[in-house]
Amino acid sequence: METLPQQLVNGLALASVYALLAVGVTLVFGLTGIVNFAHGEFLIFGALIASSLIGAGLPFPVACLAALVGAGVIGLAVERMLFRPIAAEPIRGFIISLGLIIAMQHIAVKIWGGEQRAIDAPLQRVLALGEVRISTMRIAVTIATVVVLTAFYLLLERSRWGRALRAVAVDRETAATMGVPVLRYVAATFVVGAALAGFGGALLLSLFPMSPFSGGSYTIKGFAVAIIGGLGSVSGALIAAVLLGMIEAIASGYISPVWSNAYAFGAMIIVLLFRPRGLHGGHPG
């Protein structure tokens, strides 16, 4: 029984990063109907940006903030150049995103090389609670993610910007006639989604090595979380991230970590069989 609490603790850090990734996926789909399969590449770019800055001697928190900003800028460029011209035909966005995966991988290889990158965790201490060993770095990753996601959720629920964003998600035409600049909000959604993914990549780099080709696995997890929670629902994505993180951690401890993608898809299939719109399908919120 000692394995269970240990795996649950380990799963929290994974769940928090999955939530950062899934929020971007679900927001973009909620506003545009575009399924961006390249979203995991923003996470990888965030990790690689952070690794370069840490290698240059910058502190880890500064590298994380730089990864957040850098990924957000890339997200804005992608929205303006690739997704905005086909906004009226979301199915074309799906096709473009597949090509974007290859393009971003090759750009990353050109800049950083194809080998894996890793850093020494800034926090090396391990806390002992009975038989459970807790890495202080995992605690820090979880806390940082919870703070960022809480701030974002409050912004979405209580600010004028958040209300306008939800209005665009529900009815773009009506929102536009009421004076809401729809295109700006769509661009902002891409920026926020990419920035959160980049921040998650920088945090994840402190736990696992990353390479330009690591994005696919995390894209699968991000979409599984978004679909389980209900595409378009931020609160659903947060709930589903915790659920999937716990499932993956427990299954990895008792079965095998090799099947982590299978656990994600298995959970997604089970949920969709009983709740086709996900746990909390609907508009952002």
Side-chain angles (χ1 to χ4, degrees):
M1 292 302 294
E2 297 171 1
T3 304
L4 180 59
Q6 182 68 63
Q7 293 303 322
L8 290 176
V9 169
N10 292 341
L12 284 175
L14 286 176
S16 61
V17 175
Y18 293 164
L20 285 173
L21 195 59
V23 164
V25 170
T26 203
L27 277 178
V28 169
F29 179 83
L31 260 70
T32 67
I34 292 173
V35 179
N36 180 17
F37 280 107
H39 197 73
E41 307 310 315
F42 297 123
L43 180 145
I44 299 304
F45 266 71
L48 296 175
I49 290 170
S51 71
S52 295
L53 295 178
I54 292 168
L58 270 68
F60 181 71
V62 175
C64 287
L65 291 176
L68 183 148
V69 174
V73 170
I74 295 170
L76 177 62
V78 166
E79 189 275 333
R80 287 289 178 90
M81 293 188 293
L82 299 179
F83 290 111
R84 182 171 294 190
I86 52 88
E89 300 177 77
I91 188 62
R92 292 175 63 189
F94 160 75
I95 298 170
I96 286 174
S97 72
L98 295 178
L100 184 60
I101 294 173
I102 306 301
M104 292 184 74
Q105 286 178 351
H106 280 74
I107 292 170
V109 169
K110 188 71 174 177
I111 297 173
W112 289 284
E115 68 279 357
Q116 285 192 329
R117 288 181 167 240
I119 62 169
D120 293 328
L123 302 175
Q124 300 282 353
R125 191 177 174 190
V126 176
L127 303 178
L129 297 176
E131 298 296 331
V132 179
R133 301 293 184 268
I134 307 174
S135 163
T136 50
M137 193 65 238
R138 287 182 179 268
I139 295 174
V141 167
T142 304
I143 292 174
T145 305
V146 169
V147 169
V148 169
L149 288 175
T150 300
F152 173 73
Y153 190 76
L154 291 175
L155 179 69
L156 186 64
E157 288 293 317
R158 300 186 181 181
S159 71
R160 182 178 179 181
W161 180 84
R163 289 192 294 270
L165 186 70
R166 285 180 282 136
V168 172
V170 173
D171 191 330
R172 294 181 61 159
E173 289 73 17
T174 302
T177 59
M178 298 296 291
V180 177
V182 173
L183 292 180
R184 289 184 188 177
Y185 277 88
V186 170
T189 301
F190 270 89
V191 170
V192 170
L196 290 177
F199 183 67
L203 293 176
L204 206 58
L205 184 67
S206 67
L207 303 178
F208 307 106
M210 309 284 279
S211 83
F213 304 104
S214 301
S217 176
Y218 293 107
T219 298
I220 289 172
K221 305 292 176 55
F223 270 93
V225 169
I227 292 171
I228 290 170
L231 280 170
S233 171
V234 172
S235 57
L238 299 179
I239 295 169
V242 175
L243 176 64
L244 183 59
M246 295 299 102
I247 290 173
E248 184 176 331
I250 293 170
S252 296
Y254 285 97
I255 306 174
S256 170
V258 176
W259 295 87
S260 61
N261 289 341
Y263 307 145
F265 275 115
M268 182 177 69
I269 291 169
I270 291 171
V271 169
L272 292 182
L273 284 174
F274 296 97
R275 293 184 66 88
R277 295 189 65 196
L279 297 176
H280 194 235
H283 58 82

